[in-house]
Amino acid sequence: MSELVPEPRPKPAVPMKPVSINSNLLGYIGIDTIIEQMRKKTMKTGFDFNIMVVGQSGLGKSTLVNTLFKSQVSRKASSWNREEKIPKTVEIKAIGHVIEEGGVKMKLTVIDTPGFGDQINNENCWEPIEKYINEQYEKFLKEEVNIARKKRIPDTRVHCCLYFISPTGHSLRPLDLEFMKHLSKVVNIIPVIAKADTMTLEEKSEFKQRVRKELEVNGIEFYPQKEFDEDLEDKTENDKIRQESMPFAVVGSDKEYQVNGKRVLGRKTPWGIIEVENLNHCEFALLRDFVIRTHLQDLKEVTHNIHYETYRAKRLNDNGGLPPVSVDTEESHESNP
């Protein structure tokens, strides 16, 4: 018998080592132009930014917003009228403007809420404001679920709500707590202490600490919310804002004065001029940088990804997972019973 010679086994395939690509061999690709492409496209379409101001009459809401954007962008009473001084109910007035700077266009809408907190009985006076905010979400949702929807849906959603706190120096009113408790769930609230020049530096510091403590005790979260910090860098930056700056103690003015040979925005008092953009005088510059220079895009993203998505999920769930019936469809059903 001949011996059985075992067949040679095939050698296991050795995986190839990953080939490292040397960018020097390939030369310039051009991916660094992506940012420039995005910038050009965004500049063509422009930006939408909708800011709401809420607070009692006489706290300088219109003046502050005008100062914020260095333009007459907010409603101002042209003349004093006894009958129209205090609206009987909370009204919602939206005024749109187009601001252009350095080739960048922004459609700014300022939503004013005259009548808020001005009545003897202010119970549930925040309801018309919450209703308005949700109506804007509903309007966006209806456009979004249309079969033939627009390429660019008009964005009227409220991206930011400046809530003006009266500079009492004591504590927040029940109305303040009630408003922020309800509205912080549907919109980005930034608390602001108005007319901070009526308090001394010590009073201002103590009042800011007291307000932060009361908000924490009542479980009220203002923007930027802790759970929305995306990384350590965001957390570090936002922690500093939450623990030191909030609520911003501000002074607004659209009048210019001469100070040391320079024209500055300020308020004239018998003892001197309070400079709006001087950090030694107030925190207006911090608020402006926060809202416009560092967090404007994030305000829009949190509105879309958190507040709007929460509304959208609830709305679709209430409809059994179906999109809401459009206005056109409802009208066609009514005309064809």
Side-chain angles (χ1 to χ4, degrees), residues 300-318:
K300 294 184 65 173
E301 287 177 6
V302 171
T303 299
H304 180 77
N305 297 331
I306 308 297
H307 297 306
Y308 169 68
E309 281 299 319
T310 302
Y311 176 86
R312 178 179 175 276
K314 184 179 184 302
R315 186 73 172 83
L316 296 181
N317 187 54
D318 290 346

Side-chain angles (χ1 to χ4, degrees), residues 10 68 72 77 121 132 171 204 211 218 222 243 268 301 325:
L68 203 60
Q72 295 295 319
N121 180 8
Y132 176 86
S171 59
K204 182 176 71 175
V211 169
N218 287 275
F222 48 82
Q243 295 165 13
K268 193 172 184 179
E301 287 177 6
V325 180

Side-chain angles (χ1 to χ4, degrees), residues 56 86-88 115-123 125 175:
Q56 281 182 295
I86 300 178
K88 292 183 179 178
F116 177 84
D118 293 338
Q119 310 305 316
I120 294 172
N121 180 8
N122 291 301
E123 188 178 1
C125 66
L175 175 61

